[in-house]
Amino acid sequence: MKVLKANEAQYKELNGFENLPYRLSFIKDADNNWITDLNVLNCEAYKDILDKLKELEVIDYNPIIEEEEIQK
């Protein structure tokens, strides 16, 4: 699965952007990257920041694996 990766400056600028009822949020992946769903590029609610969203790097999602899942 592909996701959008933000560097620290991009994260600080974009995280929490609101166009109610929508709010842009990032989470950390297993590599400690700030990521968000690729679908935000197609969401009308984020059209005001679309140019900035297009600057984010597209990467493969690396999920955090919980320790109990590893032991299975």
Side-chain angles (χ1 to χ4, degrees):
M1 177 170 105
K2 299 289 186 183
V3 295
L4 295 173
K5 172 188 166 191
N7 62 36
E8 196 66 29
Q10 291 167 321
Y11 165 77
K12 287 179 180 177
E13 181 179 8
L14 298 171
N15 190 55
F17 173 85
E18 286 185 337
N19 187 357
L20 296 177
Y22 299 95
R23 181 171 193 226
L24 182 63
S25 297
F26 290 82
I27 61 168
K28 289 277 190 163
D29 69 1
D31 295 320
N32 207 33
N33 294 316
W34 286 113
I35 60 168
T36 195
D37 194 290
L38 197 59
N39 289 327
V40 299
L41 295 175
N42 301 319
C43 183
E44 186 68 22
Y46 302 125
K47 67 180 179 184
D48 291 343
I49 58 169
L50 184 57
D51 289 342
K52 293 177 183 178
L53 291 172
K54 287 181 177 180
E55 293 175 5
L56 301 179
E57 182 181 353
V58 177
I59 63 169
D60 289 317
Y61 175 57
N62 188 7
I64 296 174
I65 300 173
E66 300 294 329
E67 190 159 328
E68 58 196 44
E69 291 181 36
I70 295 172
Q71 296 174 359
K72 288 183 182 177

